[in-house]
Amino acid sequence: MKTMKNHMKVEFDSYSGNESFARITVAAFLCCLNPTVEELEDIKTAVSEAVTNSIIHGYGNQVGTVTMECEIDGDEVIVAVSDEGVGIVDIGKAMEPLYTTRPDLERSGMGFAFMEAFMDTLEVTSAPMEGCLVRMKKKIGVPLHERYNCLD
Amino acid sequence: MKTMKNHMKVEFDSYSGNESFARITVAAFLCCLNPTVEELEDIKTAVSEAVTNSIIHGYGNQVGTVTMECEIDGDEVIVAVSDEGVGIVDIGKAMEPLYTTRPDLERSGMGFAFMEAFMDTLEVTSAPMEGCLVRMKKKIGVPLHERYNCLD
Amino acid sequence: MDDFQVINSYLCIRMPKELDHHKAIRIREMADRYIEGQHIEFVVFDFEDTSFMDSSGIGVIMGRYKKIQILGGRVLAVHVSDRIRRIFRLSGLHKIVEIVEDEE
Amino acid sequence: MDDFQVINSYLCIRMPKELDHHKAIRIREMADRYIEGQHIEFVVFDFEDTSFMDSSGIGVIMGRYKKIQILGGRVLAVHVSDRIRRIFRLSGLHKIVEIVEDEE
Ligand SMILES: Nc1ncnc2c1ncn2[C@@H]1O[C@H](COP(=O)(O)OP(=O)(O)O)[C@@H](O)[C@H]1O
Ligand SMILES: Nc1ncnc2c1ncn2[C@@H]1O[C@H](COP(=O)(O)OP(=O)(O)O)[C@@H](O)[C@H]1O
């Protein structure tokens, strides 16, 4: 059996209307893995959180570029979302559930908590004025040989 | 009224299964322009031709990176598809309808003809061993003020 | 907009198919216009059409709760799918929103 | 595969929802297995489910035409939408494929 590997990277402007674009794009990329509805919704939710954070927190009222990279490696999906925005001063604090710096925008402070809940692993790299990179992984449960293989 | 501008760029591996990924991605990006079904099918067809060419002709049996860039500028859509593959020796000849270098793969030689038929403009830039860049434009007919605006 | 309906002191909000930050902004704006303009005691979020919701949805519900609670009002949710129920639980929203179960 | 059916000397091929190069490869392979293995006089492409087709579809139809024509056979198409009809015309395919019109 050949190993399944596939990779894509998409950059887009930080308009809130592009949040749904990011979700559709990641779902379209993963569809050849035949994920369950549940698995796909989990990944779409995590991507939505990370992309929304880059748009709201990273760039605020500026328009910048959000990058989403997605890799399929066998039964593992790796998604990375990054921006070149203001960055995070205290990552530990930022990741606490209910912590938000934008209560005025009715942010719930649950973004990182959702990413952790819906993915297997979450890694946040950031520094003030150096943007933010969120890397998440999730194993897809359906055995390889039952999948429709899109890679040839 | 604010000017509508939006931009995205996606890179992906040259697997034939990613042809449908490219179509879904461009369609998702354009959906906030409220194109007609006809307009969307035209653009998806042109994108499918260009991406398939990069996969089959540009990279052949190698796996390389295909890049698709899409820009919305008011009522105009600009799509660019490029690869870093073998390139084209004689662009004029390549663009003739029914001309194909891969009859063994049952290519019909109608790819460029379809891009021309379904888009308003088509520009091909290529040189041997320097890859290929296809730039296409199309005006979307629905007046701006009738559109659901996704950009804010 | 047809997605907002006032029946007596109930404001019923039909939530969109995909409830994200982009959509949440609009719902917040519209809802507050109703809450501030009329005598509203109950805000009912209807999730019948909703197949996607992220934490932005939590924010918009929590925000309406805070507003209406001051006036002694309450927040309800109907047609809540298993997934949205899970998200409510994850965020503690199930403690402040009354989920009205679907009839059989 | 259920998408290929042989009835007498007819090979009926149910075309996929999205007929692109990726899908064309599989159709070519499967179709030729039938054409070479059995006595086929007519190849019928059924576009009932097909909402997308690019020039790869032209190639796969043209290829079967060439194969079957040598044996004195013919190529038919059913459930052809306006868009696919336009693509047939654009590529000259309407000259070699008989489009069977839908009954009212
Ligand atoms: N991409 C980012 N750039 C800058 N700051 C961020 C970014 N992502 C998250 N943060 C910071 O971390 C905090 C917590 O994020 P999160 O848990 O997603 O909740 P919320 O988005 O609801 O505020 C944010 O309020 C913000 O201060
Ligand atoms: N991206 C590309 N890289 C290299 N050669 C290309 C590329 N795109 C097209 N060509 C050349 O141009 C020819 C005509 O292309 P096209 O009109 O799309 O027809 P077809 O794909 O059916 O061959 C191809 O057969 C190929 O030789």
Side-chain angles (χ1 to χ4, degrees), chain A residues 16 19 42 48-49 106, chain C residues 18 21-22 54-55 64 83:
Chain A
S16 70
E19 291 155 11
D42 285 357
S48 200
E49 297 298 344
E106 297 197 336
Chain C
E18 308 235 316
H21 155 246
H22 183 67
D54 67 15
S55 76
R64 283 342 102 228
R83 180 158 187 99

Side-chain angles (χ1 to χ4, degrees), chain A residues 53-54 57-58 83 87-88 94 99-101 107-112 132:
Chain A
N53 277 354
S54 289
H57 304 301
D83 61 69
I88 302 177
Y99 176 83
T100 180
T101 50
R107 302 306 300 163
S108 62
M110 292 300 291
F112 283 127
C132 182

Side-chain angles (χ1 to χ4, degrees), chain A:
Chain A
M1 185 185 301
K2 68 190 138 181
T3 354
M4 283 183 63
K5 277 194 179 273
N6 201 359
H7 174 263
M8 70 93 168
K9 177 171 153 183
V10 57
E11 297 171 7
F12 51 88
D13 291 346
S14 62
Y15 298 113
S16 70
N18 287 335
E19 291 155 11
S20 65
F21 167 70
R23 291 194 299 273
I24 299 174
T25 300
V26 79
F29 187 69
L30 297 178
C31 90
C32 63
L33 275 177
N34 254 344
T36 63
V37 176
E38 187 79 9
E39 287 165 340
L40 205 55
E41 287 301 312
D42 285 357
I43 295 173
K44 279 166 72 180
T45 307
V47 160
S48 200
E49 297 298 344
V51 167
T52 302
N53 277 354
S54 289
I55 293 173
I56 300 180
H57 304 301
Y59 294 116
N61 289 323
Q62 317 274 62
V63 178
T65 300
V66 180
T67 303
M68 174 170 75
E69 212 164 337
C70 188
E71 207 181 308
I72 295 172
D73 186 2
D75 58 355
E76 190 162 57
V77 172
I78 302 134
V79 190
V81 175
S82 61
D83 61 69
E84 284 152 4
V86 296
I88 302 177
V89 182
D90 184 342
I91 298 179
K93 194 160 202 168
M95 291 179 75
E96 283 173 17
L98 302 176
Y99 176 83
T100 180
T101 50
R102 298 304 302 267
D104 56 313
L105 295 179
E106 297 197 336
R107 302 306 300 163
S108 62
M110 292 300 291
F112 283 127
F114 273 34
M115 293 181 234
E116 278 196 306
F118 293 122
M119 301 293 282
D120 295 341
T121 67
L122 167 67
E123 242 178 76
V124 183
T125 316
S126 184
M129 302 321 293
E130 289 185 17
C132 182
L133 163 68
V134 170
R135 248 175 82 89
M136 304 176 278
K137 295 187 188 181
K138 190 180 182 75
K139 274 214 196 303
I140 297 296
V142 184
L144 264 179
H145 63 271
E146 285 176 22
R147 288 191 197 131
Y148 167 66
N149 195 336
C150 64
L151 309 178
D152 50 277

Side-chain angles (χ1 to χ4, degrees), chain C residues 31-97:
Chain C
D32 285 356
R33 215 175 292 169
Y34 283 98
I35 293 172
E36 285 154 18
Q38 308 191 31
H39 177 67
I40 302 292
E41 274 183 284
F42 302 93
V43 179
V44 184
F45 294 100
D46 185 344
F47 289 94
E48 173 129 49
D49 304 331
T50 306
S51 58
F52 177 85
M53 171 172 145
D54 67 15
S55 76
S56 310
I58 307 301
V60 84
I61 297 169
M62 197 78 91
R64 283 342 102 228
Y65 169 75
K66 284 182 188 158
K67 259 211 150 74
I68 204 87
Q69 185 220 26
I70 299 172
L71 312 166
R74 275 153 55 195
V75 169
L76 312 174
V78 296
H79 297 123
V80 177
S81 69
D82 286 349
R83 180 158 187 99
I84 290 174
R85 203 177 292 264
R86 188 177 159 208
I87 289 175
F88 275 21
R89 209 167 281 275
L90 208 62
S91 58
L93 216 60
H94 62 294
K95 291 183 200 148
I96 58 172
V97 177

